[in-house]
Amino acid sequence: MQDDADGAELRAGVQGDLQRLQRLGPDLRVLGGAVEQVHGVDDERLHDVGLLHRLVEGSDFLVGVDPRLPGPRGLVEDLDRPAAALFPSGHGVRRAARGGDVGADQHRMVIMRVRFPPSPTGALHIGNARTALYNWLLARGSGGQLVLRIEDTDRERSTPENVDLIFESLEWLGIDYDEGPIYQSQNAERHAGVVQQLLDEGKAYRTTAGPDVVKAYKEANDNRGFRGQEESEGAIRLRMPDEGVTVVNDIIRGETAFENVLLDDLVIARADGTPVYHLAVVVDDSDAQITHVVRGADHYSNTPKHLRIYDALGATPPTYAHLPLLHGTDGKKLSKRHGAASVSDLRNSGYLREAVVNYLALLGWGYDDKTEFFTVEELQRNFSLERVSKNPAVFDELKLRHMNGRYVRELSVEDLTARLEEFTGREGLKPAVEITQEKISTLAEFWPLAGSFYDGPSDDPKAREKFLEPPESRTALEQVRAALDGLPEPWSASSVEEALRVVPEALGMKPKAVYQPLRVTLTGTTVSPGIFDTVALLGREETLKRVGRSLEA
RNA sequence: GCCCCCAUGGUGUAGCGGUUAGCACGCAGGCCUUUCACGCCUGUAGCACGGGUUCGAUUCCCGUUGGGGGUACCA
């Protein structure tokens, strides 16, 4: 049971949601009775109520709560089309009687079913990764389901290696799915059946008209959409209406009407009968009972076509949400030319999955005016399509790097060590991790800083020349050797510091004039962890050996 | 060409008629300091333009410009 304060707050939240829903349109009706009954139910129930309301905001159907059923559930009341069609029978969703009947036995939960359909023509790009992430967050945040579908109909470019790469990237990101992977190529028969059906119904026809014919037609007809003549062979086109508009209702972008006259009769299958993408997505999404299609904005203009196909099929289309595209720093559409463009690249560059997920979530979505660090759980809880931005975003690796640094520093030494050992393929890294954690932003920055502990000093001629050649450097090193020689083991950063602190003073030199030569002697470079940490980690034997070697050179 | 979308500093965003336009990255300077980082402080820089609507527009409407997407027997 919630305590009173929490309960009251939640009731207020639900009321607010309903009020907002009511403002969406005059046709909306709220199942008012259900709200009153929310009060007094258990924690889990209340939580689900919040999720359900979040789910429907911006959609064209309404969910209420029936407190009489156990577990999470919603009531569906249609607005301008039957709820039963919104959620095909397989979902078990039944239409609530108009007027807000909340009869217990006829209502079941609304489940948000989303999908991620990558085409395995390459590694998982960050744009697609973000799309996958958003869909996943939506599913996980609403108690819904995510379907993974591999769109491998492009036999030329699709490879098993790429499929594996995609699985690997999704797994690395922590994105799991509830159904699939479904391979689109395996639905070929179904697609062919649908095409044949449309042909039989006269909704589609064959024509040999190609791009040139279409272009000529449009030029001759004031840019009206191409309408062909039926032939006995050729590609199969779906007839488009000559009047009216096809309205795309997008959660992120609102409503847009496309004039049907301007739509070309759409090619749904090639001359050899194989379906094209537009036909395949619609059939597959429809068959999978997808309720929300959340995809890149590059598909926005394709949506009216998809809607026409749904119409021809007599199927109810899903709710759409088109995400802003991702651009490179040059303002152009993101591609391989923009450096680390795939998830694999980011991983190999030493970024942590947490940082990548967090950063990706922020590319096109913002929570408020100051919060930008989110755990996965927080993202699931707070992410919503209503707050997704409309404008394209530019992937900024510097910001990712910054975030990654913050995540690196928040990791426990053990955790970071494990990740670094996996990343570098080396073992026994913990001591070095302890003294480098605060200095690195990515896993890749570790080895340049710590490699000399394991593989000996690196070779940097410039550093050598600058800090080891001068006579006073030798003097300093000799003093250092003397000071360290008498230091009893075991060495610690503090005991080393105590022993070394006096050296600059004794020689009347600046600390830097003493420590830099020592640093270069021990590590080979001018950049390393703290000098006392470095000496302590190396230990007496190795330190004196390296100093001795340097002095004898 | 035609259709559609978008528009807050260099970048990602907050804002949803009245704010000194907030936050973060970056950049500049400073502090800290044995190097490099981290951290902290300060600063830099923005509502694309022009018309409306309004007592009042970053916010609403129209246009222009700019950017993007679609326009394939690709996905």
Side-chain angles (χ1 to χ4, degrees), chain A residues 150-451:
Chain A
I150 304 296
E151 307 218 316
D152 58 348
T153 47
D154 187 341
R155 293 298 195 171
E156 299 291 303
R157 296 185 296 158
S158 300
T159 68
E161 291 72 35
N162 288 333
V163 173
D164 287 343
L165 211 48
I166 288 168
F167 289 156
E168 191 182 291
S169 294
L170 289 176
E171 188 181 345
W172 183 70
L173 289 170
I175 296 174
D176 59 356
Y177 40 92
D178 307 287
E179 271 181 44
I182 293 169
Y183 289 83
Q184 191 163 60
S185 57
Q186 292 176 355
N187 294 152
E189 243 175 76
R190 164 74 175 140
H191 297 150
V194 169
V195 170
Q196 188 56 50
Q197 178 196 328
L198 292 172
L199 235 25
D200 292 345
E201 293 173 351
K203 292 176 178 170
Y205 62 95
R206 282 186 182 275
T207 173
T208 55
D212 44 338
V213 176
V214 172
K215 197 181 170 197
Y217 180 98
K218 293 167 85 81
E219 277 170 12
N221 289 279
D222 196 25
N223 279 311
R224 292 161 71 97
F226 173 73
R227 298 289 183 274
Q229 297 296 318
E230 178 157 10
E231 297 175 58
S232 58
E233 55 176 19
I236 299 165
R237 290 185 186 259
L238 182 69
R239 296 186 196 281
M240 294 291 150
D242 289 322
E243 293 174 350
V245 294
T246 296
V247 177
V248 174
N249 195 334
D250 187 285
I251 295 183
I252 297 168
R253 284 151 214 278
E255 282 189 5
T256 306
F258 292 81
E259 285 191 71
N260 293 332
V261 246
L262 298 175
L263 263 24
D264 290 331
D265 278 357
L266 178 67
V267 173
I268 54 174
R270 306 180 183 91
D272 65 4
T274 57
V276 301
Y277 167 78
H278 302 301
L279 190 277
V281 248
V282 168
V283 171
D284 291 347
D285 284 342
S286 182
D287 285 352
Q289 301 176 327
I290 299 303
T291 62
H292 294 69
V293 168
V294 180
R295 58 184 6 174
D298 48 342
H299 282 299
Y300 196 54
S301 299
N302 287 329
T303 309
K305 300 175 193 172
H306 297 173
L307 255 16
R308 291 322 318 170
I309 297 176
Y310 274 103
D311 186 66
L313 259 32
T316 304
T319 297
Y320 287 97
H322 288 91
L323 308 174
L325 256 21
L326 255 35
H327 288 190
T329 30
D330 56 0
K332 302 255 176 70
K333 191 177 174 183
L334 199 65
S335 74
K336 294 183 185 70
R337 305 185 48 178
H338 297 93
S342 75
V343 172
S344 318
D345 289 337
L346 294 180
R347 182 181 185 179
N348 294 334
S349 298
Y351 293 106
L352 304 177
R353 67 192 70 190
E354 295 93 327
V356 172
V357 165
N358 195 152
Y359 179 69
L360 246 30
L362 253 25
L363 266 188
W365 173 83
Y367 179 65
D368 61 14
D369 60 341
K370 40 196 57 166
T371 319
E372 59 171 8
F373 280 86
F374 298 89
T375 63
V376 171
E377 291 69 30
E378 287 168 337
L379 286 176
Q380 290 178 355
R381 194 158 0 101
N382 297 319
F383 181 80
S384 70
L385 291 173
E386 289 72 25
R387 290 194 64 84
V388 170
S389 119
K390 296 200 231 334
N391 20 346
V394 174
F395 175 76
D396 180 7
E397 190 170 347
L398 281 176
K399 177 116 185 190
L400 204 212
R401 181 183 213 71
H402 170 261
M403 286 204 119
N404 205 72
R406 296 261 315 243
Y407 275 97
V408 163
R409 272 166 257 130
E410 278 173 19
L411 252 32
S412 68
V413 174
E414 290 70 25
D415 193 350
L416 181 56
T417 299
R419 297 186 197 221
L420 281 167
E421 290 180 346
E422 191 198 336
F423 188 80
T424 60
R426 305 285 288 240
E427 288 183 349
L429 265 27
K430 189 174 173 187
V433 172
E434 281 172 337
I435 61 176
T436 51
Q437 179 168 23
E438 62 173 9
K439 294 178 182 298
I440 61 174
S441 290
T442 68
L443 300 183
E445 287 167 22
F446 172 76
W447 199 249
L449 222 45

Side-chain angles (χ1 to χ4, degrees), chain A residues 475-485 500 503 507 514-515 518 543-544 547:
Chain A
T475 311
L477 281 181
E478 275 162 9
Q479 266 317 109
V480 165
R481 175 157 67 176
L484 252 23
D485 201 27
L500 254 29
V503 175
L507 293 173
V514 173
Y515 299 137
L518 178 57
T543 299
L544 293 180
V547 171

